[in-house]
Each structure stands twice: as C-alpha cells, then as structure tokens.
Amino acid sequence: MRNEQLEHDRQQRVSRLRAQRAQARAAAEQHRAAGRRAEAGARWLDGRLPFLDAGKGLLRKIFPDHWSFLLGELALYSFALLMLTGVYLTFFFKPAMREVVYSGSYAPLRGLRVTEAYASTLTISFDVRGGLLIRQLHHWAALVFLAAIGAHMMRVFFTGAFRRPREMNWLIGLTLFQLALVEGFAGYSLPDDLLSGTGLRTAQGFMLAVPLVGSYLSFFAFGSEWPGQDIIPRLYTTHVLLLPGLMLGLVTAHLILVFYLKHTQWGGPGRSGRNVVGQPMFPQFLAKTGGLAFMVFGLLALLAAVAQVNPIWNYGPYRADQASTDAQPDWYMGFLEGALRLMPGTETQALGHTISWNPLIPAVLFPLVLFMALYAYPFVEQWITGDRSEHHLCDRPRNRPTRTAIGVAGLTAYAVLLLAGAQDIVAYKFDTSVNTLNWTLRIALFVAPFLAFHLTRYLCLALQSRDRTRLTTGTPTGFVHQSVEGAFRQSHDPLTPSQKYTLTLDPPPAPLAPADPSRRERVRAALSDWYYRDRVH
C-alpha cells in the first residue's frame, strides 16, 4: 500500500515537471516569435528609413569624460522641461486684454477689473491643481536655461572650441542665446501685471528711440497707441509658436553638427584631432546623462516648490498711469537695465527730429554692436592668427592669455552693468546717494574691464611660467633637505611622461610676420603681435 502511494506521488511529480517544461517551451517559443516579429518590423522600417544604421552609429558615439561638456546638456534638459511645462500652461492661460471682474480665490484682488491674461494667470496660480508649481517650474527652468547657455558658450569661447570647423555651431549657439533672451522677455510679459507692464513700456521706449522709424515700429508691435489691445495676443503667439519652433530647429541643427563634427576634447596621451577618448553612448554615457536629467528635473521642482518667483498678485494688474517701484527685470536682461541707468539723459535736435541718446545707445546700439562683435570674433581671430587648420583639441585658457583676458574683461563689464541695473536698491541698502553710485559705476564700467584684462593676462603668464618650472624641476613635495654644505633645498618629484606630454601639447603660438608691405598686412601683423607677444617659451 505504501509502495503504491509512493509511485502515485512520483507520477504526479513527473507530470508537474512535464507540464512546467511544456509551459517553459511555450513561453520560449512565444519569446522567439516576438523576437522574429520585432526583427521583421525593424527590417521593414530600416528598408524605408535609415533606422538601424542611425541607431548603430548613435550607440557607438563616444562622448568626452569631463564635467564641462555637461553644460550643454544642462541647457538641453532645461529646454525640454520648458517645453513640457509650457504646453501644460497653454491649457489654462487666456491671451486676451479684454477687461473682466476678477472673482477667483485670491481675496485681496476680488472685484477688481483686470485683463483676462492677468485673471487667467491668477487662476493658474490659485485655482488650478498644481498650477502654481508648474508655473514656477516653468519660470525657474527659463532662468536655468539661459544661465546654462551662457556658461556653455563661455566654455566654448575660453577653450577655443569655436574654431574651424565649428564656426557655424558658434553662430547657431549665439543666435539661440538671443532668441532665448527674447523668448524669456515675451513669457515674462504675458501675465500683464504691473511689473511686466513696466517692462513692456520700457521696450516701447526702445522702439521709439530708433530714429525715423521708431514710431512705426511701435505701432507695428502694439497695433495702436500704447498700450493697445494686441500686444498680449501677439506676444503669446510669438512665445508659444514662433520662437519655440525656431529654437527647436536651432537645437536640432546644433546637435546634428555636434554628432557630425564630433566633440572637442582636452589634450592628453592618446588624444588627437582624429579620435575622441571617452565613454560610449550606451550604456555609460546614457546612464550619466540620464542621471543629470533627473537631477535637473528634481532640483528645479524643488526650487519651484520652496522658492517663490514672480508673485504677480503682489504687483497687481497693469495700469498705464502707474509704474512698479523697485522694478527689476530677470537677471538675463539686467545688463540692458544697467546700461539704461548709467547713460545720461541727453538728446539732439537734427533735421526736425529729436534723437534721444538714452535709450538709443544703451538699448539699441550697444546690444547690436555687442552681438555683431561676438558673431565676428571667430573669423577675426582666424584672420589675426592666419590659422585655418581644423582644431579638435581644446585650448588651455592660460596658453591664450589675450583671448582669456578679453573674455574676463567682458564678464567684468557685464557684472558692472548687472549691478547698475539695481543701483536704486543698492543705494537704499547701503544708505548712499544714487547719483554718487551712478558716477562710481560709470567710471567702473571703463576702468574695471581694463584692470581685469591686464590682471588676467598677467595671471595666465604666471601660470605658464609655473608650468615651465614644473617641467624643468618637477612638482614640489613639501620636504626640505639640508646638504652637507648647510644649504636647504626643497625636494621635487619629476613629472610623469603623460604629464609632460599634456603640458607641452598646446604651446602658445608666435606672432605672424607681415607677408608683404601692404597696409592690410602691417595691420594684421601688429594685431598678431599684440595678441601673441606675451608668452612663456
């Protein structure tokens, strides 16, 4: 009886094992069938689109392993977050200047006549679930986006990554930065609050300052006399359709050129203009950049949750007969505000027209000259140096002291203008005269960049001298030894061949000699001598 029970149990176990094996075979067959269907679908798609070839090249793409190359990705992820939050906000925002009586949740403004744009922004902030969080996330992402573009372009400038064959990418990045400035201003102006309205009134002053055609520009933008009924709808279309489309196209073109021309990289053993040393797209770089994306999204969400930005309910709706006190634009427009405040209010009568030099010079001519110089710089430097070869290795900023000094001088001037954009608040906080502060900043605008230029060039040469000392004597160990004669000497560790190779890879170039006695060549040689005469051999 017991043997029969054991045999029955054995047969049941065998049956269960057979059933499990049959299920496993069926599951494996299903997986193989799914794999065959996926392969057939991929082949079908690849026959009509370069799907597999493009994916194969993308997965093999090598990215340099240095933190400074992540600045562009920081801008990219901020831009992606801007697009996502912007789409959400369009569901609730009403771009209209028709006046309505506010009856929402914010009691202090209830019963006040406001525009639909302002009322819908209050509704987003107080009545839409998560609306204030998304709105502040959108604003913080815009601030980080512009800061990341600026930092990325400074990295490109100081390392010479704008040189051939990447001049077009420099132009694209610079154009993208300008579009981002205008896009930020347009979005900042949409709520039609007292602060943004003051900024729009200032922008109209810029248009009116243009000689001969200023009034036509103002009528074209606003549709009538100030403030009109058309500016908010036009800004809305520009902000959600025109500029994002242009920016998306430029970002795409920029990324295509980056993939086609490959990344620049810091010089070192095994690195040349023909290769890129780093990590492949999959899986190393994908994990790193994915982590950066989640960090950007998380930190911006945290800022949106705990750091208030642009509380329009405190400013109130815009009225043409009022102006917001202590009005400050977002930081990326601060340099224009500072230039306006430092420029004396002068005007000239000519040919029956009045030319108002403020705001014509600081708000119209100054940005025009600035961005024209930035557009032209790669080609001017190429002409001065006579170097038309391709460059895929980054310059060490210390080995290009004049270029580095020019960049630092420009940043110093920007810092002075940014401070001047808040001179009334600075004067109030430090209990000083606004007039005295204005004159101090006017002098600093010319003196500080001059001092910063020479100090930076001196520091670059000092760092070059330090590198030469390290090559000849090695790295100090910190230990001091006394010789038999009684002299004290510091011991040094010699550099490794890899360190020596890196230090000598990028020598400072020599000035050009004039190719012929023509005036053009003499000017070119003089500029080249000024640009490269200070160097440590």
Side-chain angles (χ1 to χ4, degrees):
M1 190 71 181
R2 187 167 179 270
N3 291 336
E4 292 178 358
Q5 182 65 33
L6 290 174
E7 180 64 20
H8 178 72
D9 292 342
R10 188 184 67 82
Q11 290 178 358
Q12 285 185 338
R13 288 197 299 270
V14 170
S15 299
R16 285 196 298 268
L17 287 174
R18 289 176 178 174
Q20 291 174 357
R21 289 172 181 172
Q23 291 177 356
R25 285 194 295 270
E29 182 61 30
Q30 290 179 356
H31 289 159
R32 286 193 291 269
R36 287 193 294 268
R37 288 194 297 270
E39 183 179 357
R43 291 184 181 278
W44 182 88
L45 186 62
D46 188 56
R48 291 150 181 83
L49 296 171
F51 177 69
L52 295 179
D53 292 337
K56 189 185 303 180
L58 180 63
L59 293 178
R60 288 200 304 259
K61 172 71 176 174
I62 302 297
F63 291 83
D65 187 16
H66 194 271
W67 66 266
S68 63
F69 296 99
L70 298 178
L71 293 172
E73 294 168 36
L74 180 62
L76 178 63
Y77 298 138
S78 302
F79 180 68
L81 194 58
L82 274 172
M83 299 288 284
L84 293 173
T85 54
V87 170
Y88 180 83
L89 293 175
T90 57
F91 295 150
F92 308 100
F93 182 73
K94 297 179 181 178
M97 299 185 71
R98 185 175 64 89
E99 286 192 346
V100 297
V101 176
Y102 177 69
S103 58
S105 300
Y106 189 65
L109 293 178
R110 198 175 296 153
L112 194 67
R113 294 187 65 83
V114 300
T115 60
E116 283 189 295
Y118 186 77
S120 64
T121 309
L122 291 178
T123 300
I124 292 173
S125 302
F126 295 108
D127 299 315
V128 174
R129 185 181 295 275
L132 181 59
L133 178 68
I134 299 299
R135 180 172 162 264
Q136 296 200 146
L137 183 59
H138 188 74
H139 200 120
W140 278 114
L143 298 179
V144 173
F145 175 58
L146 279 154
I149 292 179
H152 179 60
M153 292 195 68
M154 283 191 288
R155 198 277 300 175
V156 171
F157 178 84
F158 285 115
T159 62
F162 55 80
R163 295 174 299 174
R164 185 181 177 188
R166 295 175 179 81
E167 303 97 333
M168 188 58 65
N169 241 358
W170 170 262
L171 303 182
I172 290 175
L174 191 56
T175 305
L176 182 62
F177 182 67
Q178 295 178 76
L179 291 178
L181 291 176
V182 180
E183 173 79 341
F185 176 77
Y188 181 80
S189 304
L190 284 179
D192 198 30
D193 59 285
L194 189 56
L195 182 60
S196 65
T198 304
L200 273 177
R201 185 63 159 168
T202 306
Q204 193 217 13
F206 299 166
M207 300 175 193
L208 293 175
V210 179
L212 301 179
V213 298
S215 58
Y216 297 99
L217 290 176
S218 176
F219 265 79
F220 175 78
F222 293 92
S224 64
E225 287 282 359
W226 172 266
Q229 296 290 320
D230 298 333
I231 185 60
I232 296 298
R234 291 180 178 182
L235 282 177
Y236 181 75
T237 304
T238 303
H239 182 70
V240 305
L241 182 62
L242 177 60
L243 292 179
L246 292 175
M247 292 169 65
L248 187 61
L250 288 177
V251 168
T252 304
H254 179 78
L255 293 177
I256 290 174
L257 285 177
V258 167
F259 273 76
Y260 176 73
L261 299 173
K262 68 179 181 291
H263 282 81
T264 55
Q265 60 182 341
W266 293 101
R271 300 178 181 182
S272 66
R274 297 184 177 182
N275 68 348
V276 177
V277 178
Q279 298 174 336
M281 176 72 173
F282 182 84
Q284 287 92 340
F285 181 77
L286 191 61
K288 179 191 292 185
T289 193
L292 177 65
F294 286 120
M295 288 175 62
V296 171
F297 297 160
L299 289 175
L300 286 176
L302 180 63
L303 277 175
V306 302
Q308 187 181 73
V309 61
N310 198 23
I312 62 166
W313 51 90
N314 289 340
Y315 310 141
Y318 178 72
R319 288 183 53 179
D321 60 340
Q322 294 181 358
S324 179
T325 59
D326 295 340
Q328 307 293 329
D330 279 337
W331 70 267
Y332 49 85
M333 288 294 184
F335 75 104
L336 283 182
E337 179 77 12
L340 281 170
R341 298 191 182 196
L342 293 186
M343 178 70 188
T346 58
E347 60 183 34
T348 301
Q349 301 289 335
L351 302 177
H353 295 276
T354 300
I355 301 176
S356 179
W357 298 109
N358 185 0
L360 177 61
I361 291 178
V364 180
L365 298 181
F366 168 63
L368 181 64
V369 172
L370 172 64
F371 284 105
M372 286 180 61
L374 290 174
Y375 275 118
Y377 185 85
F379 308 100
V380 172
E381 183 177 293
Q382 185 182 92
W383 178 72
I384 291 175
T385 60
D387 184 7
R388 290 177 172 80
S389 59
E390 291 191 0
H391 295 273
H392 301 283
L393 297 180
C394 295
D395 290 334
R396 299 180 75 202
R398 67 184 63 181
N399 290 341
R400 301 295 185 272
T402 302
R403 180 205 295 158
T404 305
I406 290 173
V408 173
L411 291 177
T412 304
Y414 174 82
V416 173
L417 291 176
L418 191 62
L419 181 62
Q423 34 85 293
D424 53 342
I425 296 178
V426 174
Y428 174 77
K429 293 294 184 180
F430 290 93
D431 193 21
T432 186
S433 168
V434 174
N435 188 55
T436 302
L437 187 60
N438 273 346
W439 277 105
T440 303
L441 292 173
R442 285 169 183 167
I443 296 171
L445 182 59
F446 296 95
V447 175
F450 176 81
L451 296 177
F453 177 87
H454 288 282
L455 178 61
T456 302
R457 191 156 63 170
Y458 172 79
L459 291 176
C460 288
L461 295 173
L463 290 172
Q464 288 185 35
S465 179
R466 177 177 175 271
D467 288 343
R468 184 177 65 177
T469 303
R470 290 181 61 202
L471 282 170
T472 55
T473 63
T475 304
T477 62
F479 293 100
V480 178
H481 300 281
Q482 185 178 14
S483 66
V484 293
E485 296 86 3
F488 291 93
R489 295 184 179 87
Q490 183 177 202
S491 62
H492 294 75
D493 287 337
L495 299 182
T496 63
S498 175
Q499 292 173 323
K500 291 182 179 180
Y501 179 83
T502 302
L503 289 179
T504 57
L505 182 63
D506 182 30
L512 289 177
D516 55 66
S518 65
R519 178 178 299 178
R520 180 177 180 272
E521 287 299 321
R522 291 200 305 270
V523 170
R524 181 185 181 187
L527 288 173
S528 180
D529 180 68
W530 170 78
Y531 210 84
Y532 290 126
R533 66 188 174 196
D534 295 326
R535 66 192 191 280
V536 177
H537 296 281

